Amino acid sequence: MKSTPFEGQAPGTSGLRKKVRVFQQPGYTENFIQAVFDVVKPEAGATLVIGGDGRFHNRTVIQQAIRMAAANGYDRVLVGQGGILSTPAASHVIRKYEASGGLVLSASHNPGGPDEDFGIKYNITNGGPAPETVTGAIHERTKTIDRWLTVEADDIDLDAVGETVVVGMTVSVIDPVADYADLMETLFDFAAIRAMVKSGFTMRFDAMGAVTGPYAHEILERRLGLAAGTVVNGTPLEDFGGHHPDPNLIHAKELYDLMMGADAPDLGAASDGDGDRNLIIGRGRFITPSDSLAMLAANIEVAPAYRGRLAGIARSMPTSAAADRVAEALNVPIFETPTGWKFFGNLLDAGKVTICGEESAGTGSDHVREKDGVWAVLLWLNILAARGVGVDAIAREHWARFGRNYYARHDYEGIDTDRANALMEGLKARLGELPGRGFGPLTVAVADSFSYTDPVDGSISANQGLRILFDDGSRVVFRLSGTGTQGATLRVYLESYVPPSGDLDAETAAMLAHQINAAEEIAGIAEHTGRAAPDVIT
């Protein structure tokens, strides 16, 4: 089919994300998928995996992608039943069946529905997100594309497991949960978790009307024996039930309130739209994603698949340095990467790290090449079963050994893009004059624009966020997010370290007051954004 380019089809940190109405423009989705196929050039006999989070427009795009895959020479397509595959499950399927890659249809934690968000991401043969060399080539191809290829074929029945032939290409509709659930049984001590459950352990898992519902029902309730009803909002819905499927304290407030109440279960957990993020709350104790990464890393070897093989830890630059202190104590390397799971791929493939994570609630390991919300919950369960204590006790023992990194992220969402860019450009221009300046009791030690050199392939990623490091070890980081679909999101990351001898149970906001004031004075957030306060604090 003849076509003309659309502007703005640059894949962000997690693929191309726009409003559904944008993707529904004639040729828009087809242009992007064709650009992917033109760049990756599938070889004879290639297999493509397709799946998504069940959001509105998934089924329509899957049917078209199947026809386009047949026209572009793929030999086989594996698609999740109902079009469903969580992002980590898609990564596992790509790896297990040695596919050449996969299309993951999701806008992750963003809202779904006819007037909300949609997204397409390409994952490469290792199961991870395409690196910048590939996404850059895809973007360039979208600028010149003049046609897209398809075949004449009826829609297939996505709800029936089995095989169909589409113009010579085999389409296998597979159980979206079984392969992933089987993998989890090889990683964790399910027998120990089942014993803990039989002794009276209780939990609440909120799937947020999104993709992890079927996975949680199968693994938590059926295989681990937790009571029916442990999983709530467990049916994937095209609009996530009208909710925002982001597992934070704003959008999972009902879970948080339950866990802070008198009748709280032992563990509260949630995952997001496509299943790659997680929220962990113990009875009376919220665990920040940065602390969760550190605590999981410190205890990972209690899980059978990880005993004796913690090679290293990786975190994104904005993530707190709590994991660094664990790495130092355990004498393993720590790697600081830009935001975006694709930057962990080389480290995982090279065997340099075993566990990695981001402050944005993503944690994972070398079992797949994506962050994995259910995996993180299961590792917490394994740790609780092995240690025989609750979440709060694990947190307190961790801080008593390593100290505590008080940490928060302030998000200013949907702000005018020009205003956001002006803030960042103005701050970047001032970086050289900041070292040595005082802001309240804080003195700037270093101010820079973060650049990363990949230790495996030597590639350089510059301009990955602006860092203000103070001489007391605290810091403020400024970054524009690439995961939204309209306007700009300014993210301000705030951190202050307290050693084991310090106050380990204070209010986070109070411990970060000086950093918050310094961030405003340095960057002029209110002036540039017109906001007196952030929209979301996590």
Side-chain angles (χ1 to χ4, degrees), residues 152-219:
E152 291 291 331
D154 294 334
D155 287 354
I156 71 163
D157 185 355
L158 292 174
D159 297 310
V161 171
E163 292 192 346
T164 306
V165 176
V166 176
V167 192
M169 181 185 74
T170 301
V171 179
S172 298
V173 177
I174 63 172
D175 182 325
V177 175
D179 286 327
Y180 176 86
D182 290 346
L183 174 65
M184 294 301 106
E185 286 216 53
T186 70
L187 302 178
F188 302 112
D189 190 344
F190 273 35
I193 300 171
R194 279 192 289 264
M196 179 177 68
V197 169
K198 286 183 178 180
S199 73
F201 180 90
T202 58
M203 75 173 290
R204 171 72 60 86
F205 182 92
D206 190 345
M208 307 191 84
V211 78
T212 54
Y215 298 86
H217 280 303
E218 172 64 22
I219 297 171

Side-chain angles (χ1 to χ4, degrees), residues 38-319:
D38 286 349
V39 167
V40 302
K41 297 180 174 61
E43 297 179 354
T47 295
L48 178 72
V49 172
I50 305 176
D53 58 13
R55 69 177 58 232
F56 182 83
H57 202 46
N58 260 21
R59 286 174 176 260
T60 300
V61 173
I62 287 172
Q63 298 288 2
Q64 187 69 303
I66 288 171
R67 287 187 281 265
M68 292 182 66
N72 279 275
Y74 282 94
D75 183 65
R76 186 185 186 197
V77 163
L78 300 176
V79 59
Q81 184 181 21
I84 293 291
L85 274 177
S86 75
T87 291
S91 179
H92 176 53
V93 170
I94 291 169
R95 294 167 62 82
K96 178 176 179 177
Y97 295 100
E98 299 181 341
S100 62
L103 294 174
V104 181
L105 309 182
S106 173
S108 188
H109 55 292
N110 294 358
D115 298 315
E116 297 295 350
D117 300 340
F118 190 75
I120 303 176
K121 178 174 70 169
Y122 182 74
N123 283 27
I124 59 175
T125 191
N126 76 343
E132 290 188 321
T133 52
V134 176
T135 57
I138 292 169
H139 183 211
E140 289 304 312
R141 180 60 183 134
T142 66
K143 296 177 181 179
T144 60
I145 195 162
D146 59 359
R147 57 88 181 100
W148 49 272
L149 306 180
T150 189
V151 297
E152 291 291 331
D154 294 334
D155 287 354
I156 71 163
D157 185 355
L158 292 174
D159 297 310
V161 171
E163 292 192 346
T164 306
V165 176
V166 176
V167 192
M169 181 185 74
T170 301
V171 179
S172 298
V173 177
I174 63 172
D175 182 325
V177 175
D179 286 327
Y180 176 86
D182 290 346
L183 174 65
M184 294 301 106
E185 286 216 53
T186 70
L187 302 178
F188 302 112
D189 190 344
F190 273 35
I193 300 171
R194 279 192 289 264
M196 179 177 68
V197 169
K198 286 183 178 180
S199 73
F201 180 90
T202 58
M203 75 173 290
R204 171 72 60 86
F205 182 92
D206 190 345
M208 307 191 84
V211 78
T212 54
Y215 298 86
H217 280 303
E218 172 64 22
I219 297 171
L220 298 179
E221 295 180 350
R222 298 189 188 103
R223 300 198 185 194
L224 291 175
L226 283 153
T230 292
V231 178
V232 298
N233 301 314
T235 300
L237 303 172
E238 289 193 335
D239 64 350
F240 308 117
H243 300 297
H244 191 148
D246 191 353
N248 60 38
L249 300 187
I250 302 296
H251 301 300
K253 185 177 185 301
E254 184 177 339
L255 178 65
Y256 177 81
D257 289 344
L258 170 69
M259 296 308 300
M260 296 300 128
D263 298 323
D266 296 292
L267 177 67
S271 191
D272 69 328
D274 68 329
D276 62 2
R277 300 183 183 215
N278 70 92
L279 172 66
I280 299 294
I281 313 177
R283 184 182 291 133
R285 174 66 69 184
F286 163 61
I287 304 296
T288 70
S290 292
D291 273 346
S292 183
L293 170 64
M295 293 171 190
L296 292 177
N299 292 279
I300 193 171
E301 295 199 22
V302 305
Y306 299 98
R307 286 177 188 146
R309 66 174 200 88
L310 180 60
I313 307 168
R315 64 168 177 85
S316 64
M317 181 273 287
T319 302

